[in-house]
Amino acid sequence: NMNFIALFFSFLYFPIGLKMWRQGVIAFGLILLLGLIGAIFNLSDAALRGGGMGLGMVFGLRANALYYLKRTQGDIGWRIF
């Protein structure tokens, strides 16, 4: 199932809403990495927008599963996938 808050606000929702700061750092880093790769290779706006939407979908789909793992197994470390 999809977590719509994580879809749009992943880098804020993981550390603040779910108290999973490591996953928030990873989300923020992946978003910055996508922007850096786009700037280095001069990708079009459509490609960057598609990549951003793809990352948002991954974060939205994984948020509930990661929160479940955190609640049942305790500390889940740096896992995002």
Side-chain angles (χ1 to χ4, degrees):
N1 58 6
M2 174 71 71
N3 187 320
F4 287 103
I5 298 172
L7 172 68
F8 296 109
F9 304 107
S10 57
F11 63 96
L12 294 173
Y13 183 62
F14 280 120
I16 297 170
L18 298 178
K19 307 290 190 253
M20 297 190 313
W21 66 271
R22 291 180 185 119
Q23 284 72 24
V25 169
I26 292 171
F28 188 69
L30 287 174
I31 292 167
L32 285 179
L33 182 65
L34 177 67
L36 182 67
I37 289 172
I40 290 173
F41 294 110
N42 197 20
L43 297 177
S44 68
D45 285 341
L48 289 175
R49 193 171 296 126
M53 287 180 192
L55 277 178
M57 289 294 290
V58 168
F59 297 144
L61 289 170
R62 292 296 300 157
N64 292 337
L66 289 170
Y67 186 69
Y68 173 77
L69 287 174
K70 178 187 173 202
R71 297 291 291 179
T72 58
Q73 297 178 2
D75 186 24
I76 59 172
W78 289 89
R79 178 188 297 182
I80 191 79
F81 297 111

